């Protein structure tokens, strides 16, 4: 009986070690740093690479790492009940034209889904909600702002009774926009929708992975969670 073949390593065509590549991608995605900021920080550690190498590694391995993180978290989260979702859209300018980044978070600030569209109508809201519901199942309540597209999409999905709209009720997701906005400024804005979609998805998964809610737990618990997250990150694509 033939022996099953071991999957090929995604690092096999790269001269640098997997540890360095993981570190570079982590620094660029997790922190609001530019490509040249990452290059300078690594040079202080004795690692001499070009900022274009940082761009190459991020484009090649960023979605790969984020996909593994998402699969692990989604498999664990399916056993929990999502009590409340918060949905909102933010404006992003692409080459002078306005685009919309739709985002969904749960009641604990976990980013569930990110979706980029050119319009802000019922069709866009429906596509975004279907994508989130397919991956994370149905919540007990959905908090939105007063945009009519949400109500029209929820009516078509048969979940209008779950919608909740209220003043300051959606502060949870309004605050969760801040990391994305900081990244947008550090990257001097995005230029293509596919680049925005890729980075929003990768950034959301990395943010979830290292979001330990340190203000809600004691220092010892936070250190244990941080060490566990770093250990999982170092094992990605190994």
């Amino acid at each position: 009986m033939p022996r099953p073949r071991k999957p090929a390593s995604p690092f096999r065509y790269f001269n640098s070690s997997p540890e360095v590549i993981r570190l570079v991608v982590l620094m660029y995605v997790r922190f609001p740093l530019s490509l040249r900021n990452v290059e300078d920080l690594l040079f202080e550690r004795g690692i001499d690479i070009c900022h274009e190498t940082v761009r190459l590694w991020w484009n090649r391995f960023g979605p790969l790492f984020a996909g593994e993180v998402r699969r692990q978290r989604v498999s664990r989260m399916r056993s929990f009940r999502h009590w409340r979702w918060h949905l909102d859209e933010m404006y992003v300018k692409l080459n002078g034209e306005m685009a919309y980044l739709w985002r969904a978070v749960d009641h604990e600030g976990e980013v569930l889904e990110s979706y980029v569209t050119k319009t802000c109508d019922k069709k866009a809201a429906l596509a975004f909600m279907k994508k989130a519901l397919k991956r994370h199942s149905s919540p007990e309540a959905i908090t939105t702002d007063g945009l009519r597209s949400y109500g029209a999409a929820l009516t078509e999905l048969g979940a209008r009774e779950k919608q909740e709209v209220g003043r300051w009720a959606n502060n949870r997701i309004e605050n969760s926009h801040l990391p994305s906005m900081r990244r947008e400024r550090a990257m001097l804005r995005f230029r293509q929708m596919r680049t925005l979609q890729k980075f929003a998805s990768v950034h959301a998964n990395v943010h979830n992975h290292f979001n330990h809610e340190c203000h809600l737990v004691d220092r010892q618990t936070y250190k244990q969670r941080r060490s566990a997250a770093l250990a999982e990150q170092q094992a990605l694509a190994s």
Side-chain angles (χ1 to χ4, degrees):
M1 182 176 180
R3 181 179 300 176
R5 300 181 62 181
K6 184 179 180 180
S9 171
F11 306 104
R12 62 188 183 277
Y13 297 125
F14 294 84
N15 294 328
S16 299
S17 66
E19 291 77 14
V20 172
I21 295 177
R22 293 192 192 98
L23 176 62
V24 169
V25 176
L26 171 65
M27 291 176 64
Y28 182 64
V29 176
R30 184 182 177 191
F31 305 108
L33 301 171
S34 68
L35 298 170
R36 288 175 174 80
N37 290 152
V38 176
E39 177 185 354
D40 293 340
L41 288 173
L42 291 172
F43 183 75
E44 293 181 1
R45 299 188 179 194
I47 303 174
D48 186 12
I49 62 173
C50 175
H51 67 277
E52 289 297 337
T53 303
V54 179
R55 188 198 307 274
L56 171 66
W57 288 352
W58 132 248
N59 278 292
R60 174 65 178 83
F61 294 101
L64 176 65
F65 295 158
E68 288 197 21
V69 171
R70 181 176 61 248
R71 283 191 293 271
Q72 295 174 8
R73 297 185 70 85
V74 168
S75 62
R76 292 196 298 262
M77 291 170 62
R78 283 188 179 277
S79 60
F80 300 112
R81 298 177 63 189
H82 297 290
W83 299 331
R84 184 185 302 277
W85 284 7
H86 297 264
L87 309 183
D88 194 29
E89 74 289 340
M90 60 179 289
Y91 304 101
V92 182
K93 188 171 290 188
L94 303 176
N95 287 334
E97 298 182 359
M98 198 67 70
Y100 301 89
L101 175 60
W102 304 75
R103 301 176 69 250
V105 303
D106 67 3
H107 60 285
E108 294 183 346
E110 184 94 359
V111 182
L112 303 175
E113 200 64 55
S114 302
Y115 190 65
V116 182
T117 63
K118 287 186 176 181
T119 60
C120 193
D121 53 8
K122 171 188 170 183
K123 181 180 179 181
L126 187 61
F128 164 61
M129 290 184 184
K130 285 182 176 180
K131 185 178 180 182
L133 291 171
K134 180 179 180 180
R135 179 170 293 171
H136 300 281
S137 72
S138 180
E140 293 184 0
I142 300 177
T143 304
T144 69
D145 56 19
L147 184 67
R148 295 182 180 181
S149 300
Y150 291 117
L154 288 170
T155 299
E156 184 163 331
L157 292 172
R160 184 60 183 269
E161 69 281 355
K162 295 184 178 182
Q163 184 182 19
E164 297 182 0
V165 181
R167 192 177 185 184
W168 301 310
N170 223 16
N171 283 354
R172 166 67 72 179
I173 191 167
E174 293 288 351
N175 292 330
S176 76
H177 288 323
L178 297 178
S180 299
M181 296 170 67
R182 285 195 292 266
R183 285 300 312 166
E184 181 186 4
R185 288 193 295 270
M187 298 178 68
L188 301 179
R189 299 187 180 275
F190 297 93
R191 294 172 177 80
Q192 296 180 345
M193 286 187 61
R194 63 179 182 180
T195 304
L196 173 58
Q197 178 67 70
K198 178 195 289 188
F199 194 90
S201 300
V202 174
H203 180 267
N205 286 285
V206 174
H207 174 76
N208 290 339
H209 187 65
F210 290 98
N211 182 22
H212 310 304
E213 299 183 336
C214 58
H215 61 289
L216 299 178
V217 297
D218 58 85
R219 180 65 180 177
Q220 186 63 31
T221 303
Y222 169 70
K223 290 170 66 176
Q224 292 175 356
R225 293 181 179 178
R226 182 176 60 183
S227 299
L230 285 173
E232 290 185 19
Q233 183 268 330
Q234 291 170 359
L236 292 176
S238 58

